[in-house]
């Protein structure tokens, strides 16, 4: 069952094409990630889904609704958390929740919601006195106060410290566990890898890959990387000659070997044949980072 | 309770949490009026004013000042700030149209202006022996029309100003000439003809004269009503034209 369907979405600002033909479909109950570097067209894509922008061409459907023509109905089924969207300084958490819940036909119980989000002891606190993490939690609460079927969360954890970020991830999972389909926009690999069932990688306004997280990672193959410090100098050529090894790098006293298959035992066996042992051994499995580099030819932070 | 009333209540609560706004919008006008009324010579009938006292002339001026100050400073600043900080943008994602927020603000300022008007009229009656308006309906109508024109101008400022701070500044710059033509420094009765003619075409000039007429028992001049409607329609249309939610 598809909750969000986007086909051939194009959006231009003047002569700059922000989104150049995006297709994606989000299934009910999943956390779907839109991953890409800043300026890739992620936010423009979700703003078209939210009905805040009018696409130049292509179709968008959210629960069967056209955001342009069924805007009034869309507001009841889609909850949105926007980037850089604040509340009045002096409104309290409780007042904001009560006010926003009155906007909807069938709102969630706002007291229960802020209890789940750990904001109950902040009910009487004014917005300006909340921490960054608390503001983000309130923002999630406002996005789901109307009991939406779809929640769009845009760059939710940007600017948060690592602990708040992890707490927020738990909250996003709890939103999904309420039966809400989550569309998550992020440029954090770790976040996408941890949370998303499926991911669309967007680069320069296009979807360059759309798969499960595991599926994306497997596009880089089962490439592995082993790093260690050799106990004695040796000729790297002996490792390069192994069939499992793609390459050998030396940096100061560390050696990094990339390769495939049973790389570790091949390397260790070969080293011991030459009387060398490996200390500080580290093995890296391929990650979404590697997949992103393989797909776009650059790192997401560039 | 409808969403409009809930929003109006929420906005009013926020307004009352800003001490400076409360002082200027709600306390300053009656205090100014009391100070003017306490000047002994302002309580004496003057031949040159057709037997009226200065305090009689100042009653409609202070009433107009009371709603003009918040409408030209708080309203545009508030709206531009809400736009700047994404408050309106967030509201766009809910079933409530942000236009309802406009309505809530207008309703709030209108209610406050009626409240300050009643306080000033009561103060005038009790303390300075100023007669209550002889045509109360005409007085209310003139009051609402004038405040609507001024609110429309405030919305226009909020629509075109790039930020909250600049909206407040632009509003303040407009406020001074408007209050001048309302007669705050030189009541219309003592203005040279040229100035009074200009004043007739300004929202507060037309508004203050209409209030004065209704207080004295005459229906406001059609010219003044047309001026008020004209400002409301022109500023309102331009505000709608230039309004951006984000």
């Amino acid at each position: 069952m598809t909750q969000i369907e986007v086909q051939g979405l194009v959006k231009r600002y003047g002569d700059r094409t922000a989104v150049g033909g995006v297709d994606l479909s989000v299934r009910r109950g999943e956390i779907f990630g839109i991953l890409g570097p800043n300026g890739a067209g992620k936010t423009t894509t979700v703003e078209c889904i939210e009905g805040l922008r009018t696409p130049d061409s292509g179709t968008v459907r959210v629960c069967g609704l056209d955001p342009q023509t069924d805007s009034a109905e869309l507001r009841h089924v889609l909850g949105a958390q926007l980037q850089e969207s604040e509340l009045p300084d002096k409104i309290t958490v409780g007042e904001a929740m009560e006010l926003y819940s009155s906007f909807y036909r069938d709102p969630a119980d706002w007291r229960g919601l802020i209890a789940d989000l750990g904001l109950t002891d902040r009910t009487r606190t004014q917005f300006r006195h909340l921490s960054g993490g608390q503001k983000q939690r309130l923002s999630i609460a406002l996005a789901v106060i109307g009991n939406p079927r779809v929640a769009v969360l845009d760059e939710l954890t940007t600017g948060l410290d690592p602990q708040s970020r992890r707490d927020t991830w738990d909250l996003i999972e709890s939103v999904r566990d309420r039966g809400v389909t989550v569309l998550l926009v992020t440029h954090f690999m770790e976040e996408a890898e941890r949370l998303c069932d499926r991911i669309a990688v967007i680069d320069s306004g296009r979807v360059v890959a759309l798969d499960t997280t595991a599926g994306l990672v497997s596009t880089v193959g089962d490439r592995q990387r082993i790093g260690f410090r050799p106990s004695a100098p040796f000729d790297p050529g002996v490792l390069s000659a192994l069939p499992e090894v793609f390459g050998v790098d030396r940096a100061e006293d560390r050696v990094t070997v990339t390769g495939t298959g049973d790389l570790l035992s091949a390397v260790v066996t070969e080293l011991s044949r030459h009387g060398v042992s490996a200390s500080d051994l580290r093995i890296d499995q391929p990650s979404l980072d590697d997949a992103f580099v393989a797909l776009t030819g650059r790192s997401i932070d560039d | 309770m409808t969403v409009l009333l809930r929003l109006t209540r929420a906005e009013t609560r926020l307004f009352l949490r800003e001490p400076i706004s409360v002082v200027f919008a709600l306390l300053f006008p009656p205090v100014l009026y009391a100070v003017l009324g306490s000047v002994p010579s302002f309580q004496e009938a003057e031949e040159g004013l057709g037997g009226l006292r200065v305090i009689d002339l100042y009653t409609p001026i202070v009433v107009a000042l009371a709603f003009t100050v918040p409408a030209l400073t708080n309203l545009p600043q508030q709206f531009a700030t809400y736009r700047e900080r994404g408050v309106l943008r967030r509201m766009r994602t809910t079933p409530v149209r942000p236009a309802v927020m406009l309505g809530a603000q207008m309703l709030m300022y209108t209610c406050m202006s009626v409240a300050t008007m009643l306080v000033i009229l009561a103060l005038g009656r009790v303390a300075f022996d100023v007669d209550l308006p002889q045509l109360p309906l005409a007085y209310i109508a003139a009051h609402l029309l004038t405040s609507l024109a001024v609110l429309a101008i405030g919305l226009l400022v909020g629509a075109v100003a790039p930020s909250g701070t600049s909206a407040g500044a632009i509003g303040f710059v407009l406020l001074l000439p408007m209050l001048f033509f309302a007669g705050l420094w030189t009541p219309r009765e003592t203005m040279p003809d040229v100035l009074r003619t200009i004043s007739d075409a300004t929202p507060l000039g037309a508004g203050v004269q209409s209030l004065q007429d209704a207080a004295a028992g005459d229906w406001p001049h059609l010219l003044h009503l047309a001026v008020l409607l004209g400002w409301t329609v022109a500023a309102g249309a331009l505000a709608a034209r230039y309004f951006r939610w984000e």
Side-chain angles (χ1 to χ4, degrees):
Chain A
M1 172 81 188
T2 304
Q3 292 286 69
I4 303 175
E5 185 80 51
V6 176
Q7 281 173 348
L9 178 68
V10 174
K11 178 69 189 176
R12 296 185 199 88
Y13 299 123
D15 54 2
R16 192 174 72 83
T17 302
V19 176
V22 160
D23 301 286
L24 50 87
S25 74
V26 179
R27 300 175 195 139
R28 174 186 285 174
E30 70 178 343
I31 299 183
F32 186 95
I34 293 187
L35 179 70
N38 289 329
K42 305 186 298 283
T43 294
T44 301
T45 301
V46 296
E47 284 177 343
C48 291
I49 292 170
E50 291 161 340
L52 296 180
R53 292 195 191 283
T54 309
D56 290 317
S57 64
T59 57
V60 177
R61 292 290 178 275
V62 180
C63 302
L65 301 169
D66 179 341
Q68 292 305 311
T69 56
D70 307 316
S71 170
E73 190 54 31
L74 179 79
R75 303 284 164 233
H76 285 284
V77 302
L78 182 144
Q81 182 273 331
L82 305 167
Q83 279 188 73
E84 289 160 12
S85 204
E86 302 203 355
L87 286 171
D89 268 343
K90 294 191 176 177
I91 197 166
T92 69
V93 170
E95 288 166 358
M97 293 299 294
E98 192 183 5
L99 180 65
Y100 274 70
S101 71
S102 76
F103 292 174
Y104 293 91
R105 264 197 311 253
D106 175 29
D109 166 40
W110 66 263
R111 287 191 172 80
L113 195 55
I114 60 170
D116 291 350
L117 292 166
L119 285 172
T120 301
D121 61 341
R122 290 281 167 275
T123 307
R124 291 166 181 279
T125 305
Q126 294 182 359
F127 182 78
R128 61 191 170 138
H129 292 138
L130 297 176
S131 71
Q134 288 165 345
K135 284 179 179 170
Q136 290 298 41
R137 277 186 269 159
L138 178 57
S139 191
I140 298 176
L142 292 174
V144 298
I145 184 69
N147 269 328
R149 283 150 71 187
V150 175
V152 180
L153 308 175
D154 194 354
E155 298 284 2
L156 197 54
T157 62
T158 301
L160 295 187
D161 62 76
Q163 184 56 47
S164 304
R165 185 173 294 161
R166 286 195 181 81
D167 292 345
T168 307
W169 292 346
D170 292 340
L171 294 174
I172 294 170
E173 284 177 326
S174 74
V175 168
R176 191 257 310 270
D177 294 342
R178 290 168 168 259
V180 181
T181 303
V182 176
L183 181 61
L184 181 76
V185 178
T186 184
H187 68 273
F188 289 119
M189 286 293 172
E190 201 189 348
E191 185 164 293
E193 203 162 0
R194 153 80 196 273
L195 286 175
C196 297
D197 298 303
R198 293 191 306 141
I199 295 172
V201 178
I202 294 194
D203 190 33
S204 306
R206 289 177 182 281
V207 176
V208 295
L210 195 164
D211 205 339
T212 60
T213 313
L216 285 178
V217 172
S218 74
T219 58
V220 284
D222 60 343
R223 194 165 64 174
Q224 302 163 45
R225 191 165 52 221
I226 298 173
F228 60 89
R229 203 166 59 224
S231 58
F234 70 101
D235 172 16
V238 301
L239 291 182
S240 318
L242 292 170
E244 289 88 352
V245 172
F246 299 154
V248 180
D249 272 333
R250 303 187 69 138
E252 297 177 19
D253 61 343
R254 271 190 86 76
V255 177
T256 305
V257 182
T258 51
T260 185
D262 198 0
L263 181 66
L264 178 63
S265 76
V267 167
V268 172
T269 309
E270 187 64 15
L271 286 175
S272 66
R273 274 196 347 116
H274 292 85
V276 178
S277 65
S279 57
D280 283 348
L281 192 67
R282 251 190 70 190
I283 304 170
D284 289 327
Q285 295 294 330
S287 68
L288 199 52
D289 266 309
D290 302 307
F292 189 86
V293 174
L295 287 165
T296 65
R298 60 204 169 98
S299 159
I300 196 164
D301 300 318
D302 288 349
Chain B
M1 193 162 38
T2 68
V3 166
L4 175 66
L5 292 182
R6 279 178 184 279
L7 257 178
T8 307
R9 189 181 64 174
E11 287 301 311
T12 305
R13 214 155 32 193
L14 292 175
F15 184 89
L16 295 177
R17 283 180 194 153
E18 299 294 341
I20 296 177
S21 304
V22 171
V23 166
F24 273 94
L26 301 179
L27 296 180
F28 173 66
V31 168
L32 174 70
Y33 188 60
V35 169
L36 291 171
S38 307
V39 177
S41 65
F42 285 8
Q43 298 204 38
E44 286 160 21
E46 287 189 31
E47 292 283 322
L49 298 175
L52 286 171
R53 301 168 305 159
V54 171
I55 190 63
D56 295 320
L57 300 184
Y58 267 111
T59 306
I61 293 171
V62 177
V63 164
L65 170 134
F67 60 71
T68 304
V69 170
L72 283 188
T73 55
N74 298 92
L75 174 68
Q77 177 163 10
Q78 183 80 323
F79 238 82
T81 303
Y82 278 2
R83 183 181 60 230
E84 203 177 0
R85 300 185 50 191
V87 174
L88 298 177
R89 194 171 131 82
R90 184 196 294 278
M91 195 162 272
R92 271 186 80 191
T93 70
T94 75
V96 172
R97 313 304 328 134
V100 179
M101 175 73 110
L102 277 175
Q105 298 259 338
M106 307 266 293
L107 187 57
M108 173 181 83
Y109 286 112
T110 304
C111 291
M112 288 196 315
S113 75
V114 171
T116 49
M117 172 192 79
L118 293 177
V119 169
I120 290 163
L121 291 182
L123 187 64
R125 182 73 200 85
V126 172
F128 309 122
D129 204 25
V130 176
D131 289 335
L132 290 177
Q134 294 191 26
L135 291 178
L137 274 182
Y139 198 85
I140 292 276
H143 179 266
L144 290 180
L145 268 180
T146 313
S147 71
L148 208 58
V150 175
L151 286 169
I153 294 170
L155 283 180
L156 176 58
V157 173
V160 298
S163 72
T165 323
S166 60
I170 296 170
F172 190 73
V173 167
L174 287 180
L175 183 63
L176 298 177
M178 282 177 67
L179 288 177
F180 174 80
F181 285 114
L184 182 61
W185 289 278
T186 314
R188 284 168 47 84
E189 284 74 1
T190 58
M191 279 181 189
D193 286 346
V194 178
L195 279 185
R196 190 159 55 238
T197 306
I198 298 173
S199 167
D200 280 334
T202 68
L204 288 190
V208 165
Q209 191 58 53
S210 298
L211 290 171
Q212 187 80 62
D213 291 343
D218 301 319
W219 278 89
H221 287 287
L222 274 180
L223 166 74
H224 292 138
L225 297 183
V227 164
L228 291 174
L229 274 177
W231 278 99
T232 306
V233 170
L238 284 173
R241 165 75 182 75
Y242 288 110
F243 215 87
R244 297 152 289 148
W245 297 119
E246 52 191 83

